[in-house]
Amino acid sequence: MTEETPGFDEKPDVPSGANSDDVEPKAATPSEEEAAAPAGDVQQTAALTAQLDQVRTALNERTADLQRLQAEYQNYRRRVERDRVQVKEVAVAGLLTELLPVLDDVGRAREHGELVGGFKSVAESLETVVAKLGLHQFGKEGEPFDPTIHEALMHSYAPDVTETTCVAILQPGYRIGERTIRPARVAVAEPQPGATPAAAKEEKADDEESGGTEEV
């Protein structure tokens, strides 16, 4: 009597009425999930692309906003700096305008020889300070009259001028940079009506002299 090794001669249970073909292993076929995978990848890629486009659009908008804010800030800084300079100039001009009568007194004292001793030292220090603040004096005798910087207080005629000329400076003018804070007050002279200017007279005299010395 031999012992049978269990499991070797045993046949799989076959349902009754089934043939051998029914028990053959079937070839693996792609599942529905595997077939649908490519379509899902395309949809996911399209969704990611749409999100990327939205992010790029938002980034461009934020960049444009930042550039606009930077431009506005730069314009604001320039306006503030310009206003600060203007306020400073106005303040300095106001202070120097109040000092002009003092400078006039100093000038008159110098003309009369009264600028001596301690008064001279104080006056020179004052003139140095106002010069550092940008105050400049102008107005000289003999320069052409300019109504934008001169104020004529006296008027006369003179045969030796060819145009309206400042013949006396009654009160000097002052400016800060290109800004005039007080015009020079002057006496002016115009050419004598109907008179020949001095230069023309000299030229005519020279012509007559040269013509009268012809050799015979």
Side-chain angles (χ1 to χ4, degrees), residues 120-156:
K120 178 180 180 181
S121 177
V122 172
E124 292 176 349
S125 297
L126 176 62
E127 290 174 338
T128 301
V129 170
V130 297
K132 288 182 178 179
L133 292 175
L135 184 68
H136 299 284
Q137 185 184 105
F138 66 90
K140 294 181 180 180
E141 294 182 6
E143 64 185 6
F145 175 76
D146 184 351
T148 61
I149 60 173
H150 296 136
E151 180 182 353
L153 300 183
M154 298 177 64
H155 177 270
S156 62

Side-chain angles (χ1 to χ4, degrees), residues 42-58:
V42 172
Q43 293 178 354
Q44 186 177 9
T45 301
L48 292 175
T49 302
Q51 291 180 0
L52 181 59
D53 291 338
Q54 292 178 354
V55 171
R56 287 175 176 171
T57 301

